[in-house]
Amino acid sequence: MTIDTAIQTLKPVDAGLRERASRVIPGGMYGHLNVTLLPAAYPQYYRSGDGARLTDVDGNEYIDFMCGFGPMISGYRNPVVEAAAAKQLARGDALGGPTERMVELAELLVDTVGPADWAMFGKNGTDATSLAVTIARAATGKRKILKGRTAYHGANAWFNPNPLGSTPEDRSNIIFFDFNDIASLEAAAAEAGDDLAGIIVSPFKHDGPADDQRLADVEFARSVRAIADRNSAVLIMDEVRTGFRLVTGSAWEPLGVAPDLIAYSKAIANGWALAAVVGIDALAQAASDIYATGSFWYSGVAMAAAIANIGLLRETDTPAYMDHVGTLLRTGLQAQAEDNGFEIVQSGPAVMPYLRFVDDPGHAAALAFTGAAAARGVLLHPVHNWFLSTAHTEQDIADALDRTADAFAEARAVIG
Amino acid sequence: MTIDTAIQTLKPVDAGLRERASRVIPGGMYGHLNVTLLPAAYPQYYRSGDGARLTDVDGNEYIDFMCGFGPMISGYRNPVVEAAAAKQLARGDALGGPTERMVELAELLVDTVGPADWAMFGKNGTDATSLAVTIARAATGKRKILKGRTAYHGANAWFNPNPLGSTPEDRSNIIFFDFNDIASLEAAAAEAGDDLAGIIVSPFKHDGPADDQRLADVEFARSVRAIADRNSAVLIMDEVRTGFRLVTGSAWEPLGVAPDLIAYSKAIANGWALAAVVGIDALAQAASDIYATGSFWYSGVAMAAAIANIGLLRETDTPAYMDHVGTLLRTGLQAQAEDNGFEIVQSGPAVMPYLRFVDDPGHAAALAFTGAAAARGVLLHPVHNWFLSTAHTEQDIADALDRTADAFAEARAVIG
């Protein structure tokens, strides 16, 4: 595929859609895919995706490093995943009950994810984190949940980063700790006292914006486990964003720490709407005793897609491959930043890279750089981590770096 | 299509799947599609759907009156809906942002639903009711929500019919009223005092199990509106179950009462996972100020399906057609029940019929009748309302009634 390397600034179709949307969608757009605060070079509306490439509604093509904020892991319209989905779709999706795919997918997750003895399904990442918290409370008969102070675990009333529209009561059983800070975790557990139901934690700190990512210290991970055990509380791992990118299994396996529940969504079905909670046998009864359901939680097509997608991810060491191409990108960006006199910090795993400009009030350099990259057909994000996929080739990275070199130069010219 | 009218009791494939599921799914199955408490003739797992017919994993075919508990309204695998979905799917589903379909669907909902000035989207019915409550609280700065005592408005921590796994604090801002009981609504509003954020209500009472459905009295509907207005509170209509079956628009239009927010899901995309909240202009700012999002809330395929589906539903007076076939079914069942000496009560609108046996401890007659119907290839439900669709033909009703005649006779033999 050839890519037009011209600067992409003409977006009349996108502009027209934004104008129409302003009349029928609150704020014109909402949520994490709203580009209002991003540079003008970002499209709001997309026409299509193919592998690691996206095309906007005006026909501009991009090498994409956002992967739909995570769902795409095996390439847009991956033929193996789409063939499996199409096969199920020809029979039906939401039927009178689940299909055989639900049992197959539960078996596959149990086989793939070390700590998992069972699986339940939903549609949103928030479904998975909410289910996990509900199971933890049902199993323990306790109320308090410890979470990272600025960690994102979904948009429900307990965890929404914006409290507007929730009540103080909704959030009264949440106690904060700081990631990798064992003392703060101990203090939070002490505050919960004998009412500690669970600890929810991400495999690494990816809170953003403008907050460097941090990998988990092994001592911290072990303390999370020990504090949960000491308090007969449930350790919930939120892998909604990280799932199957860090490890084809449970992310803390390399640290020797196993959670009790893991929440997945985003990438498990390569873009088809699906979430899953997997858990240990000791929590199966509580998981079965709560009332958890949704109209589309049993639908077969997304499950068929997930089975094919996880099958692909198991075929080779896909986390190592994504780390490889992510490292190529990161290494290239580091050199380009230095060439243009920018001091940057790149943090977190290379499969989910985050780039921050040092001394960057108002994110001016980040906005200038990512805006210039978008105008040259490379989708990055100024204040959110990016994502690699198995569809990113070494050539994609090289093509992207050709353009980001110019983007850094333009950012330097803008920033002065 | 011919149907084997033999009694369907052999389900070895289904039994094998249940056995496998018992090892990897909590309780073997969970939620509203768990058939553990239904007669043995109900399959747990389905292979395919076509129009108003379902086929289970053992190849048994059924005339279906559950419609996946609502999502199917235009027939399983409706060719017009599926063609629209396929066209979008060939381009992509979860991309880097929304597609043009999101704007088109918001415009279509605003054009179709009288009170709607704008639309937002999610995946679950619970997403829609939760969003509506959050918007009501954000707009009013108040906390209390009034709801029907036994009404189902989703499985979140506020509303879940089973409190296990939620905290008292989660539910501390919910106050109950009784449907069609204006005095109880006034009392609930008085209890909320100056902290009343909203009233959430279904267009008619469909609480089940074993609870007759009740249409809304016009005085009650007007009181809901008046009490909301008097308290500067938001009137939320939960049309997740009823949407586009009662009225191609807002269900209380015939009563002259307009809600401020309407929650949709289930049938709007004919089985594709989608939810929507529509609202009035006065609430657009609050809807835009809250943080609401999900990884798959912008995906194009379900929206393409919804556009095609709502287009079909607008072509003719589909509520009248569904009422017609529902009335044929209801009339036939009434006569058959009487022929077999059963006193039954059929309540609610004919598009969402509910049948209760009078003097039926333990639902023995309901279970015997619906089990015998399932064994003869007719899917009803003993303790939940059923659903009609535009795919149900007069011939389907006649075929179903041929079988339910035998099912009533068998139920009489079982009950004695």
Side-chain angles (χ1 to χ4, degrees):
Chain A
M1 184 181 305
T2 61
I3 295 182
D4 177 7
T5 56
I7 292 183
Q8 302 172 353
T9 51
L10 290 174
K11 295 187 171 54
V13 179
D14 194 83
L17 286 168
R18 292 193 202 204
E19 201 281 321
R20 286 164 59 190
S22 71
R23 284 181 252 147
V24 292
I25 294 176
M29 188 53 59
Y30 47 83
H32 66 297
L33 298 183
N34 182 341
V35 299
T36 309
L37 299 179
L38 299 185
Y42 285 85
Q44 179 65 78
Y45 293 93
Y46 289 86
R47 178 194 293 166
S48 61
D50 186 9
R53 312 277 168 140
L54 282 171
T55 301
D56 69 22
V57 284
D58 288 281
N60 300 303
E61 193 175 286
Y62 305 86
I63 305 171
D64 172 43
F65 291 101
M66 292 310 295
C67 298
F69 280 63
M72 188 281 272
I73 192 170
S74 298
Y76 293 110
R77 294 195 288 131
N78 178 286
V80 173
V81 174
E82 293 310 298
K87 185 175 172 189
Q88 180 59 44
L89 190 52
R91 294 176 165 191
D93 188 21
L95 299 169
T99 71
E100 191 167 353
R101 304 291 89 73
M102 186 165 173
V103 182
E104 293 169 348
L105 178 56
E107 289 173 339
L108 180 60
L109 285 169
V110 166
D111 187 61
T112 304
V113 179
D117 294 315
W118 50 261
M120 297 173 77
F121 303 100
K123 282 290 160 187
N124 302 309
T126 300
D127 294 345
T129 56
S130 301
L131 267 175
V133 167
T134 305
I135 292 166
R137 286 175 167 157
T140 61
K142 299 187 282 186
R143 292 179 298 172
K144 301 297 181 188
I145 301 291
L146 312 189
K147 79 174 277 285
R149 193 173 308 278
T150 52
Y152 182 72
H153 295 301
N156 64 22
W158 306 321
F159 295 145
N160 198 310
N162 179 355
L164 182 67
S166 69
T167 69
E169 292 75 19
D170 287 325
R171 306 163 88 89
S172 63
N173 289 305
I174 309 299
I175 302 174
F176 298 132
F177 63 85
D178 295 305
F179 196 87
N180 271 349
D181 181 340
I182 297 172
S184 80
L185 189 65
E186 292 279 13
E191 185 182 337
D194 60 6
D195 203 17
L196 181 58
I199 306 171
I200 186 166
V201 64
S202 302
F204 70 94
K205 183 169 183 280
H206 50 65
D207 299 359
D211 187 4
D212 292 341
Q213 301 191 130
R214 289 184 68 185
L215 299 178
D217 299 334
V218 65
E219 296 78 11
F220 175 74
R222 288 178 186 156
S223 293
V224 174
R225 180 72 270 176
I227 291 170
D229 289 344
R230 193 200 313 146
N231 291 279
S232 301
V234 175
L235 171 47
I236 302 167
M237 178 73 68
D238 180 352
E239 288 228 44
V240 169
R241 209 183 297 183
T242 58
F244 297 98
R245 274 194 167 86
L246 295 180
V247 174
T248 310
S250 172
W252 277 1
E253 276 174 22
L255 307 184
V257 174
D260 301 313
L261 296 171
I262 307 177
Y264 291 107
S265 182
K266 287 197 181 284
I268 58 172
N270 196 43
W272 288 86
L274 191 68
V277 177
V278 302
I280 60 172
D281 266 336
L283 296 173
Q285 188 64 49
S288 148
D289 288 344
I290 63 167
Y291 185 72
T293 206
S295 293
F296 310 109
W297 287 17
Y298 311 83
S299 297
V301 175
M303 294 180 184
I307 293 165
N309 186 48
I310 295 170
L312 286 176
L313 295 172
R314 281 171 56 135
E315 277 180 8
T316 58
D317 188 350
T318 45
Y321 176 77
M322 291 187 281
D323 180 76
H324 166 66
V325 285
T327 301
L328 289 179
L329 177 67
R330 179 172 274 186
T331 305
L333 293 175
Q334 189 68 40
Q336 292 174 350
E338 288 168 12
D339 288 348
N340 289 278
F342 284 113
E343 186 182 351
I344 61 170
V345 175
Q346 300 193 82
S347 56
V351 297
M352 287 174 56
Y354 183 69
L355 186 155
R356 178 175 63 84
F357 287 78
V358 175
D359 277 336
D360 189 28
H363 311 304
L367 291 164
F369 167 64
T370 56
R376 287 165 177 79
V378 179
L379 287 175
L380 305 167
H381 197 287
V383 294
H384 191 284
N385 73 269
W386 315 331
F387 296 88
L388 275 292
S389 78
T390 65
H392 287 90
T393 63
E394 294 185 0
Q395 188 61 53
D396 287 325
I397 305 299
D399 288 348
L401 287 171
D402 275 350
R403 296 150 193 228
T404 54
D406 293 341
F408 272 116
E410 181 177 320
R412 172 50 66 206
V414 167
I415 298 296
Chain B
M1 183 182 305
T2 62
I3 295 182
D4 176 7
T5 56
I7 292 181
Q8 302 172 352
T9 52
L10 291 174
K11 296 186 170 54
V13 178
D14 193 84
L17 286 168
R18 292 193 201 206
E19 201 281 321
R20 286 165 58 191
S22 71
R23 283 181 255 148
V24 292
I25 294 175
M29 188 54 59
Y30 47 83
H32 66 296
L33 297 184
N34 181 341
V35 299
T36 310
L37 299 179
L38 297 184
Y42 285 85
Q44 179 65 77
Y45 294 93
Y46 289 85
R47 178 194 294 165
S48 62
D50 187 9
R53 312 278 168 139
L54 283 171
T55 301
D56 70 22
V57 284
D58 289 281
N60 301 302
E61 192 176 286
Y62 305 85
I63 306 171
D64 172 44
F65 290 101
M66 292 310 296
C67 299
F69 280 63
M72 188 281 273
I73 191 170
S74 298
Y76 293 110
R77 293 196 287 131
N78 179 286
V80 173
V81 175
E82 293 310 299
K87 186 175 172 189
Q88 180 59 45
L89 189 52
R91 295 176 165 191
D93 188 20
L95 298 169
T99 71
E100 192 167 353
R101 303 292 87 74
M102 187 165 172
V103 181
E104 293 169 348
L105 179 56
E107 289 173 338
L108 180 60
L109 285 169
V110 166
D111 187 61
T112 305
V113 179
D117 294 316
W118 51 261
M120 297 173 76
F121 302 100
K123 283 289 161 188
N124 302 309
T126 300
D127 294 344
T129 56
S130 301
L131 267 175
V133 167
T134 305
I135 293 166
R137 286 175 167 156
T140 61
K142 299 186 282 184
R143 292 179 299 172
K144 302 297 180 187
I145 300 291
L146 313 188
K147 80 175 275 286
R149 193 174 307 280
T150 52
Y152 182 73
H153 295 302
N156 65 21
W158 306 321
F159 294 145
N160 198 310
N162 179 356
L164 182 67
S166 68
T167 69
E169 291 75 19
D170 288 324
R171 306 161 87 88
S172 63
N173 289 306
I174 309 299
I175 303 173
F176 299 133
F177 63 85
D178 295 304
F179 195 87
N180 271 350
D181 180 339
I182 296 172
S184 80
L185 189 65
E186 293 279 13
E191 185 181 336
D194 60 5
D195 202 17
L196 181 57
I199 306 172
I200 186 167
V201 65
S202 302
F204 71 95
K205 184 169 183 277
H206 49 65
D207 300 358
D211 186 4
D212 292 341
Q213 301 190 131
R214 288 184 68 185
L215 298 179
D217 298 335
V218 65
E219 296 78 11
F220 175 73
R222 288 177 185 157
S223 293
V224 173
R225 181 71 271 176
I227 291 170
D229 289 343
R230 195 200 313 147
N231 291 278
S232 301
V234 175
L235 172 46
I236 303 166
M237 178 75 66
D238 180 353
E239 288 228 45
V240 170
R241 209 184 295 183
T242 57
F244 296 99
R245 274 194 166 85
L246 295 180
V247 173
T248 310
S250 171
W252 278 0
E253 276 175 22
L255 306 185
V257 175
D260 301 313
L261 296 172
I262 308 177
Y264 291 106
S265 182
K266 286 197 182 283
I268 57 172
N270 196 44
W272 287 86
L274 190 69
V277 177
V278 302
I280 61 171
D281 266 336
L283 295 173
Q285 187 64 50
S288 148
D289 288 343
I290 63 167
Y291 184 72
T293 205
S295 293
F296 310 109
W297 287 16
Y298 311 83
S299 297
V301 175
M303 294 180 184
I307 293 166
N309 186 49
I310 294 171
L312 286 176
L313 295 172
R314 281 172 55 134
E315 277 180 7
T316 59
D317 188 351
T318 44
Y321 176 77
M322 292 187 280
D323 180 76
H324 166 65
V325 285
T327 301
L328 289 178
L329 177 68
R330 180 171 273 185
T331 305
L333 293 174
Q334 190 68 39
Q336 293 174 349
E338 289 169 11
D339 289 346
N340 288 278
F342 284 113
E343 186 182 352
I344 62 171
V345 174
Q346 299 194 82
S347 56
V351 296
M352 288 174 55
Y354 183 67
L355 186 156
R356 178 175 64 83
F357 288 77
V358 176
D359 278 338
D360 188 26
H363 311 304
L367 291 165
F369 166 64
T370 56
R376 287 166 176 79
V378 179
L379 287 174
L380 304 167
H381 197 287
V383 293
H384 191 285
N385 72 269
W386 316 330
F387 296 88
L388 275 294
S389 78
T390 65
H392 287 89
T393 64
E394 293 186 0
Q395 188 61 51
D396 287 326
I397 305 299
D399 289 349
L401 288 170
D402 276 350
R403 296 148 193 233
T404 54
D406 292 342
F408 272 116
E410 182 177 319
R412 172 50 65 205
V414 167
I415 298 294

